[in-house]
């Protein structure tokens, strides 16, 4: 073969190699790629609290309606589910508090308040329930102002506590 042709072939081969390598690098590092996630096998956790017989965390691996999810926690007869969108499809970590019907809760007297579970079963978050129980253990009597001053308790939580605790 002619030396000129060999040089041209070598130059073409090297050029194609360089261009191909650069194209690969540009494609690999600079062009965004669409990521497809298969959610069908992913698990998610739904935390259910409030007016249910068995509050807690429930693990699901496929989308379910809120109706299906709260069914497994055994909704109590004095639960108020009228404001919940029961047909909402849940497919990711989610937290739901099932409220009690207004007037359906018998208030707990301050002197009879002894466990975190008493408050959790009435829809109070566990961290707030623990704060209230710690305060109860240190104080025979209290006021709503003292409770409002506790860490983590705001006006909304205070209103919820007023519905379930009798300070007299």
């Amino acid at each position: 073969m002619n030396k000129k042709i060999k040089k041209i072939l070598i130059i073409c081969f090297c050029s194609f190699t360089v261009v191909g390598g650069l194209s690969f690098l540009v494609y690999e590092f600079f062009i965004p790629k669409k990521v497809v996630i298969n959610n069908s096998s992913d698990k998610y956790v739904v935390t259910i609290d409030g007016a249910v017989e068995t509050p807690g965390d429930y693990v699901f691996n496929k989308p379910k309606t809120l109706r299906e999810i709260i069914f497994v926690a055994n909704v109590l007869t004095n639960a108020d589910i009228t404001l919940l969108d029961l047909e909402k499809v849940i497919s990711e970590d989610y937290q739901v508090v099932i409220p009690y019907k207004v007037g359906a809760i018998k208030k707990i007297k301050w002197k009879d308040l002894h466990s975190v579970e008493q408050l959790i079963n009435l829809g109070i978050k566990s961290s707030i329930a623990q704060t209230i129980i710690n305060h109860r253990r240190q104080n025979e009597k209290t006021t709503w102002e003292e409770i409002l001053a506790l860490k983590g308790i705001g006006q909304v939580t205070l209103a919820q506590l007023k519905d379930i605790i009798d300070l007299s």
Side-chain angles (χ1 to χ4, degrees):
M1 228 199 264
N2 188 341
K3 286 186 178 185
K4 236 180 183 181
I5 295 176
K6 282 184 181 180
K7 276 186 180 180
I8 292 173
L9 288 175
I10 291 172
I11 291 172
C12 286
F13 177 75
C14 290
S15 298
F16 284 127
T17 304
V18 169
V19 169
L22 288 174
S23 297
F24 174 77
L25 289 174
V26 167
Y27 176 78
E28 195 62 32
F29 295 106
F30 297 105
I31 296 176
K33 290 157 190 70
K34 185 175 181 180
V35 178
V36 178
I37 299 173
N38 182 0
N39 285 335
S40 63
S41 65
D42 291 345
K43 294 184 179 182
Y44 61 97
V45 177
V46 176
T47 303
I48 306 173
D49 280 319
V52 292
E53 191 174 309
T54 52
D57 293 339
Y58 292 85
V59 179
F60 299 98
N61 61 0
K62 63 181 182 177
K64 293 197 178 290
T65 63
L66 188 54
R67 179 185 311 275
E68 293 171 311
I69 290 171
I70 66 174
F71 178 78
V72 299
N74 299 321
V75 176
L76 298 174
T77 56
N78 60 346
D80 182 6
I81 59 171
T82 58
L83 297 178
L84 297 176
D85 180 5
L86 297 176
E87 301 312 315
K88 178 178 182 175
V89 176
I90 309 298
S91 60
E92 59 188 20
D93 291 353
Y94 190 77
Q95 181 173 4
V96 61
V97 177
I98 310 299
Y100 287 87
K101 291 178 184 171
V102 175
I105 303 171
K106 182 180 177 189
K107 289 187 175 186
I108 302 170
K109 292 200 176 278
W110 182 252
K111 66 178 182 140
D112 296 330
L113 188 58
H114 299 293
S115 75
V116 171
E117 288 75 24
Q118 286 175 291
L119 295 171
I120 290 174
N121 289 337
L122 295 173
I124 304 297
K125 292 180 184 177
S126 61
S127 59
I128 299 296
Q130 187 63 56
T131 300
I132 296 293
I133 292 301
N134 290 343
H135 182 69
R136 167 63 187 94
R137 288 179 181 147
Q138 297 170 357
N139 299 281
E140 259 322 289
K141 293 186 178 188
T142 193
T143 64
W144 291 117
E145 291 78 22
E146 290 173 336
I147 291 175
L148 182 59
L150 296 173
K151 182 180 179 189
I153 298 180
Q155 291 295 333
V156 173
T157 305
L158 184 68
Q160 189 179 11
L161 291 170
K162 284 182 176 182
D163 287 340
I164 62 175
I165 297 174
D166 179 3
L167 293 184
S168 60

